Short mmCIF file of all heavy atoms in Angstrom, two decimals:
data_model
loop_
_atom_site.label_atom_id
_atom_site.label_comp_id
_atom_site.label_asym_id
_atom_site.label_seq_id
_atom_site.Cartn_x
_atom_site.Cartn_y
_atom_site.Cartn_z
N THR A 66 93.73 12.95 12.76
CA THR A 66 92.53 12.15 12.61
C THR A 66 91.50 12.63 13.60
O THR A 66 91.82 12.90 14.76
CB THR A 66 92.83 10.66 12.88
OG1 THR A 66 93.89 10.24 12.02
CG2 THR A 66 91.62 9.80 12.65
N GLU A 67 90.25 12.73 13.18
CA GLU A 67 89.18 13.08 14.11
C GLU A 67 88.90 11.87 14.99
O GLU A 67 88.73 10.76 14.49
CB GLU A 67 87.93 13.47 13.33
CG GLU A 67 86.81 13.95 14.24
CD GLU A 67 85.60 14.39 13.42
OE1 GLU A 67 85.68 15.45 12.78
OE2 GLU A 67 84.61 13.65 13.43
N VAL A 68 88.88 12.09 16.30
CA VAL A 68 88.63 11.01 17.26
C VAL A 68 87.69 11.54 18.35
O VAL A 68 87.58 12.74 18.56
CB VAL A 68 89.95 10.52 17.92
CG1 VAL A 68 90.88 9.91 16.88
CG2 VAL A 68 90.65 11.63 18.67
N PRO A 69 87.01 10.64 19.06
CA PRO A 69 86.19 11.09 20.19
C PRO A 69 87.08 11.76 21.25
O PRO A 69 88.22 11.34 21.47
CB PRO A 69 85.59 9.78 20.73
CG PRO A 69 85.69 8.80 19.61
CD PRO A 69 86.91 9.19 18.84
N CYS A 70 86.55 12.79 21.87
CA CYS A 70 87.34 13.53 22.88
C CYS A 70 87.67 12.67 24.09
O CYS A 70 88.60 12.98 24.84
CB CYS A 70 86.62 14.80 23.29
SG CYS A 70 86.56 16.03 21.96
N THR A 71 86.94 11.59 24.28
CA THR A 71 87.20 10.68 25.40
C THR A 71 88.27 9.65 25.06
O THR A 71 88.70 8.90 25.94
CB THR A 71 85.91 9.96 25.82
OG1 THR A 71 85.37 9.29 24.66
CG2 THR A 71 84.88 10.94 26.38
N SER A 72 88.71 9.62 23.81
CA SER A 72 89.72 8.66 23.38
C SER A 72 91.08 9.00 23.98
O SER A 72 91.42 10.17 24.15
CB SER A 72 89.83 8.67 21.85
OG SER A 72 90.98 7.97 21.42
N GLU A 73 91.86 7.98 24.27
CA GLU A 73 93.22 8.22 24.76
C GLU A 73 94.09 8.83 23.68
O GLU A 73 95.14 9.39 23.98
CB GLU A 73 93.84 6.94 25.29
CG GLU A 73 94.02 5.86 24.24
CD GLU A 73 94.55 4.56 24.83
OE1 GLU A 73 94.25 4.25 25.99
OE2 GLU A 73 95.26 3.86 24.08
N ARG A 74 93.65 8.77 22.42
CA ARG A 74 94.39 9.38 21.31
C ARG A 74 94.06 10.86 21.13
O ARG A 74 94.75 11.54 20.38
CB ARG A 74 94.09 8.62 20.02
CG ARG A 74 94.59 7.18 20.05
CD ARG A 74 94.24 6.42 18.77
NE ARG A 74 94.63 7.15 17.59
CZ ARG A 74 93.84 7.32 16.52
NH1 ARG A 74 92.64 6.79 16.51
NH2 ARG A 74 94.27 7.99 15.48
N ALA A 75 93.02 11.35 21.78
CA ALA A 75 92.62 12.75 21.61
C ALA A 75 93.72 13.68 22.12
O ALA A 75 94.24 13.50 23.22
CB ALA A 75 91.32 13.02 22.35
N ALA A 76 94.09 14.65 21.31
CA ALA A 76 95.19 15.56 21.67
C ALA A 76 94.79 17.03 21.62
O ALA A 76 95.38 17.84 22.33
CB ALA A 76 96.37 15.33 20.74
N ALA A 77 93.82 17.39 20.80
CA ALA A 77 93.43 18.80 20.67
C ALA A 77 91.94 18.90 20.38
O ALA A 77 91.35 17.99 19.78
CB ALA A 77 94.23 19.48 19.57
N ARG A 78 91.33 20.01 20.82
CA ARG A 78 89.90 20.25 20.65
C ARG A 78 89.68 21.43 19.71
O ARG A 78 90.43 22.41 19.76
CB ARG A 78 89.26 20.54 22.00
CG ARG A 78 87.74 20.75 21.94
CD ARG A 78 87.16 21.08 23.31
NE ARG A 78 87.43 20.07 24.30
CZ ARG A 78 86.66 19.01 24.54
NH1 ARG A 78 85.57 18.82 23.83
NH2 ARG A 78 86.98 18.15 25.48
N VAL A 79 88.63 21.34 18.90
CA VAL A 79 88.26 22.45 18.01
C VAL A 79 87.55 23.51 18.83
O VAL A 79 86.53 23.24 19.46
CB VAL A 79 87.34 21.96 16.86
CG1 VAL A 79 86.94 23.12 15.96
CG2 VAL A 79 88.00 20.85 16.07
N VAL A 80 88.09 24.73 18.85
CA VAL A 80 87.46 25.83 19.59
C VAL A 80 86.66 26.74 18.66
O VAL A 80 85.79 27.48 19.12
CB VAL A 80 88.48 26.64 20.41
CG1 VAL A 80 89.09 25.78 21.51
CG2 VAL A 80 89.58 27.22 19.53
N ALA A 81 86.95 26.69 17.36
CA ALA A 81 86.17 27.42 16.36
C ALA A 81 86.40 26.74 15.02
O ALA A 81 87.48 26.19 14.78
CB ALA A 81 86.59 28.88 16.30
N ARG A 82 85.40 26.77 14.15
CA ARG A 82 85.50 26.12 12.84
C ARG A 82 84.81 27.00 11.82
O ARG A 82 83.68 27.43 12.02
CB ARG A 82 84.85 24.74 12.91
CG ARG A 82 84.62 24.03 11.58
CD ARG A 82 85.91 23.48 11.04
NE ARG A 82 85.73 22.39 10.13
CZ ARG A 82 85.39 22.51 8.85
NH1 ARG A 82 85.16 23.70 8.35
NH2 ARG A 82 85.27 21.45 8.08
#
Side-chain angles (χ1 to χ4, degrees):
T66 304
E67 184 178 288
V68 296
C70 291
T71 55
S72 168
E73 63 185 31
R74 295 178 51 226
R78 182 182 302 271
V79 179
V80 295
R82 169 75 157 80

